[in-house]
Amino acid sequence: MIKKTCFALLILFAFHGCTRDDICAETTQTTPMLIVVFKNAAISTEAKEAPGLTIETTFENSEIVIDNETTDSIAIPLYAGADITNYKFTINSQSETETPNTDMVTFNYDREDIYVNRACSFKTIYNNLEASVEDEGTGNWIFQIDVTALNNTVEDENDTHITILH
Amino acid sequence: MAQENTKTVDSTAIDTAATPNNKYGIRLGADLSKFARTAFEKGYSGFEIIGDFRVTDKFYAAAEIGNEKKERFEANLNSITTGSYAKLGFDYNAYNNWLGMENAIFVGLRYGFSTFKQQLLAYQVYTTSQAFPQTFKEGPVEYKGLTAHWAELIVGIKTEILNNLYLSFNLQLKRKIVEDEPDNFANLYIPGFNRTYDFSEFGVGYGYTLSYLIPIFKK
């Protein structure tokens, strides 16, 4: 009888030990965000805030990733399901005195999936990054868009991947 | 007076208890828990054959061989591990049997070795942003010819339930020594070692075995 009880306890212990560690920690570096900084077109070393900046995707049900922020530095996601991501960059988006101005920005890249761990599965990094703005003649608020990422690769979120002069 | 009498009886009992069991032979069996898991656990199939040979009064040379297939179908990762393993080592019986009894409380050490393959069937790219639809990638990648080596500590109990037929339960603590890491993936499961942990070299396991002693001689 005692032996049977011992067996039952031991079995319980064995199953109890099999709990999962399946939560992807926030501190783990997974798929990186694209880091974009805004600089002054006249003095290209000087940071310049983009006033009332709103950024949204160009899908049918567009998602707003940056909502009416006045900032000189942003982090936005790239689409891991395709080699291209399109965004609408709008300044003065809710301004009462200035007219909103929207520029279409396109990012092209190659994707590489890298195994992270059991909980996070895989992340995607983006190689051969290219950026362009749809030319509207004098209508663009973006003067120039440059890829400043190390080796043109989006992997490290401490890096500056894109610099926009305006 | 009565106490002294009891003491005398006790010392006689100890003498009897110290009398070693004397059957020597080969014990062969199988792990019942692996049959049960094959029948009832989704995504698992496997078996293990066990054997030991009594070398001295307390020491038994022991070995296990087995084969396992383990599927991991999680929302973010689908993979299958298939392979075979062998474990070699010894058990030490720490239990003093009464005359004629053949039970054991044992500790053992094993060297474990596994050859296996891993198939990565599909995965989800982990993103912190919800702006875009989730990305799933399919297309199996197969990593063949992987090997792993580990050391294992076993503690268990063994009872003779019928003449020469033994039922045993054991717990296993394992530590990886070396493994082949697949390129851009990891060994989420190793046959014989069981599941791995991301931030630890240790693993755990258990066995519930039935074995039969083929007596060869008596000492």
Side-chain angles (χ1 to χ4, degrees):
Chain A
M1 192 59 215
I2 290 167
K3 266 174 196 149
K4 278 180 186 166
T5 315
C6 281
F7 277 11
L9 282 174
L10 285 169
I11 289 165
L12 268 178
F13 168 77
F15 280 109
H16 189 71
C18 297
T19 52
R20 287 183 174 158
D21 59 346
D22 279 349
I23 295 160
C24 185
E26 274 180 37
T27 48
T28 310
Q29 175 70 71
T30 54
T31 301
M33 301 284 263
L34 182 74
I35 309 298
V36 182
V37 299
F38 295 92
K39 293 198 165 163
N40 191 336
I43 314 155
S44 63
T45 51
E46 188 184 275
K48 184 183 173 188
E49 289 180 338
L53 179 68
T54 294
I55 298 176
E56 56 185 317
T57 61
T58 57
F59 288 128
E60 205 170 315
N61 300 312
S62 65
E63 290 272 344
I64 292 169
V65 293
I66 300 285
D67 188 11
N68 192 32
E69 286 180 33
T70 297
T71 175
D72 64 1
S73 166
I74 54 166
I76 55 175
L78 291 173
Y79 183 32
D83 286 338
I84 185 168
T85 302
N86 291 305
Y87 275 120
K88 284 191 263 187
F89 278 52
T90 306
I91 51 164
N92 304 320
S93 51
Q94 284 167 38
S95 169
E96 286 172 6
T97 52
E98 307 276 340
T99 336
N101 186 343
T102 301
D103 280 8
M104 303 293 291
V105 178
T106 300
F107 300 104
N108 290 285
Y109 41 81
D110 298 330
R111 288 165 292 152
E112 183 182 349
D113 294 341
I114 294 176
Y115 180 75
V116 181
N117 59 38
R118 167 193 322 264
C120 306
S121 188
F122 282 75
K123 69 174 178 178
T124 296
I125 66 165
Y126 306 97
N127 298 316
N128 303 320
L129 178 67
E130 289 170 9
S132 61
V133 178
E134 195 176 279
D135 194 356
E136 299 167 11
T138 54
N140 290 101
W141 66 270
I142 294 173
F143 174 69
Q144 193 179 325
I145 187 163
D146 292 323
V147 176
T148 45
L150 187 68
N151 301 322
N152 291 354
T153 293
V154 182
E155 183 173 15
D156 180 3
E157 287 184 343
N158 295 319
D159 193 10
T160 300
H161 306 127
I162 295 287
T163 301
I164 288 176
L165 302 181
H166 68 109
Chain B
M1 281 300 275
Q3 264 186 347
E4 265 183 26
N5 277 344
T6 319
K7 266 183 188 169
T8 322
V9 171
D10 270 354
S11 69
T12 323
I14 287 161
D15 283 348
T16 318
T19 310
N21 59 40
N22 56 4
K23 280 192 222 169
Y24 282 67
I26 292 173
R27 193 156 40 192
L28 292 171
D31 189 334
L32 300 179
S33 69
K34 289 192 163 50
F35 289 126
R37 289 180 65 195
T38 301
F40 299 114
E41 187 182 319
K42 202 167 168 271
Y44 176 88
S45 64
F47 68 88
E48 182 179 284
I49 293 165
I50 62 162
D52 65 20
F53 177 77
R54 190 168 176 191
V55 180
T56 67
D57 180 31
K58 293 286 185 189
F59 282 94
Y60 296 74
E64 291 91 17
I65 56 168
N67 183 282
E68 283 187 315
K69 177 182 176 185
K70 173 76 176 160
E71 297 174 356
R72 182 189 162 84
F73 282 1
E74 299 290 329
N76 64 354
L77 197 63
N78 294 351
S79 68
I80 301 176
T81 308
T82 320
S84 301
Y85 62 93
K87 299 194 282 184
L88 293 169
F90 67 87
D91 288 335
Y92 173 79
N93 183 10
Y95 186 69
N96 282 323
N97 276 296
W98 288 50
L99 185 61
M101 289 179 77
E102 299 275 348
N103 300 320
I105 296 173
F106 62 91
V107 293
L109 281 174
R110 297 286 188 279
Y111 157 73
F113 171 80
S114 177
T115 65
F116 56 102
K117 69 169 182 183
Q118 284 218 92
Q119 290 165 283
L120 174 63
L121 302 179
Y123 58 87
Q124 180 186 330
V125 173
Y126 190 92
T127 53
T128 49
S129 164
Q130 308 300 317
F132 296 101
Q134 294 288 357
T135 303
F136 292 91
K137 299 277 180 76
E138 279 186 48
V141 188
E142 194 164 280
Y143 303 94
K144 279 185 181 169
L146 301 168
T147 63
H149 305 253
W150 68 93
E152 187 169 311
L153 178 72
I154 296 181
V155 294
I157 50 180
K158 200 171 270 155
T159 312
E160 188 176 22
I161 52 170
L162 291 170
N163 189 32
N164 293 335
L165 191 66
Y166 295 82
L167 194 61
S168 175
F169 182 78
N170 69 69
L171 291 173
Q172 305 153 10
L173 180 67
K174 305 145 193 275
R175 190 189 189 283
K176 258 185 281 177
I177 300 165
V178 64
E179 65 177 323
D180 296 326
E181 287 272 9
D183 186 33
N184 201 28
F185 193 39
N187 295 324
L188 301 180
Y189 192 91
I190 297 169
F193 183 89
N194 300 335
R195 69 155 290 180
T196 60
Y197 293 85
D198 283 340
F199 306 106
S200 164
E201 298 298 306
F202 285 92
V204 293
Y206 66 91
Y208 191 76
T209 66
L210 188 68
S211 54
Y212 184 77
L213 173 70
I214 304 160
I216 295 174
F217 59 89
K218 289 190 175 190
K219 264 191 184 172

